[in-house]
Amino acid sequence: MFEKTGVASREMVMTKFPPIERINRGPVAVVECYQKIPCNPCQTACPFGAIRIGEDINEIPCRDENVCTGCGVCVAKCPGLSIMIVDGSKSAETVEFRIPYEFLPLPESGEKVTGLDRAGKPICEAKVIRVMNPASFDRTPVVTLEVSREYLYDFRNFRRE
Ligand code: SF4
Ligand code: SF4
């Protein structure tokens, strides 16, 4: 299915999420890289050595949730837009996501947007908390959004209305 649609199944997604206890402790990277490709900016960008690919650049990256600080440096560096940060420490009802977003115009803080799942289907309302677009991100802005906790494993993107 994934080979045909490019949409990861729930089972695949769950292999990339750390345990909920880790998510609730604070921000952590979810690295949704599912196929062997010759790529490694995530590994080289991480200042803490939390992402390992190893000797073979084709290997699938592995993130150590106990080393990852959730700093977010890797998010804008991934050419596949495969990395997001999840943070369940802010509230019992919501989760914060930091995701790469390369569409224009960029949203504004406080804006209500439509949350999308991995297939691009609308699933929820999301609130934009912040938009970061410094020169060091090299034209890959990163948007922080607040989403209801029930969509933790489904939310992946958003669209403006
Ligand atoms: S969020 Fe920061 S610490 Fe975690 S994997 Fe990415 S760059 Fe490394
Ligand atoms: S930079 Fe992105 S696409 Fe490349 S290996 Fe890392 S997670 Fe995968």
Side-chain angles (χ1 to χ4, degrees):
M1 189 66 171
F2 176 75
E3 284 69 24
K4 274 192 184 160
T5 64
V7 179
S9 66
R10 170 60 73 92
E11 198 177 28
M12 293 168 73
V13 169
M14 293 310 285
T15 66
K16 304 298 184 185
F17 271 75
I20 189 68
E21 294 78 16
R22 173 64 188 86
I23 292 170
N24 288 342
R25 271 208 308 276
V28 62
V30 174
V31 183
E32 286 199 72
C33 201
Y34 295 104
Q35 289 179 307
K36 290 191 171 190
I37 48 169
C39 185
N40 71 352
C42 54
Q43 177 179 245
T44 55
C46 179
F48 302 98
I51 298 182
R52 271 195 56 75
I53 290 175
E55 296 291 304
D56 181 354
I57 195 173
N58 293 293
E59 279 304 320
I60 291 171
C62 179
R63 179 267 300 114
D64 185 335
E65 68 256 23
N66 297 313
V67 177
C68 175
T69 66
C71 70
V73 167
C74 55
V75 175
K77 297 293 181 191
C78 169
L81 309 183
S82 304
I83 305 177
M84 62 180 182
I85 306 295
V86 294
D87 182 0
S89 70
K90 308 272 168 137
S91 137
E93 287 79 37
T94 60
V95 184
E96 275 193 14
F97 288 84
R98 258 178 278 160
I99 64 170
Y101 185 78
E102 291 187 336
F103 295 97
L104 292 174
L106 290 171
E108 292 178 10
S109 300
E111 187 174 331
K112 295 277 173 59
V113 295
T114 301
L116 307 175
D117 68 9
R118 286 172 176 76
K121 194 177 102 195
I123 51 168
C124 62
E125 185 177 81
K127 182 180 165 192
V128 176
I129 304 294
R130 160 178 349 105
V131 180
M132 293 184 294
N133 191 20
S136 61
F137 283 9
D138 197 20
R139 294 186 295 280
T140 300
V142 174
V143 179
T144 303
L145 301 113
E146 183 185 75
V147 176
S148 172
R149 197 170 264 268
E150 68 186 285
Y151 302 105
L152 171 61
Y153 302 115
D154 296 312
F155 176 85
R156 192 61 180 87
N157 207 340
F158 72 90
R159 75 168 182 229
R160 302 181 76 205
E161 294 308 315

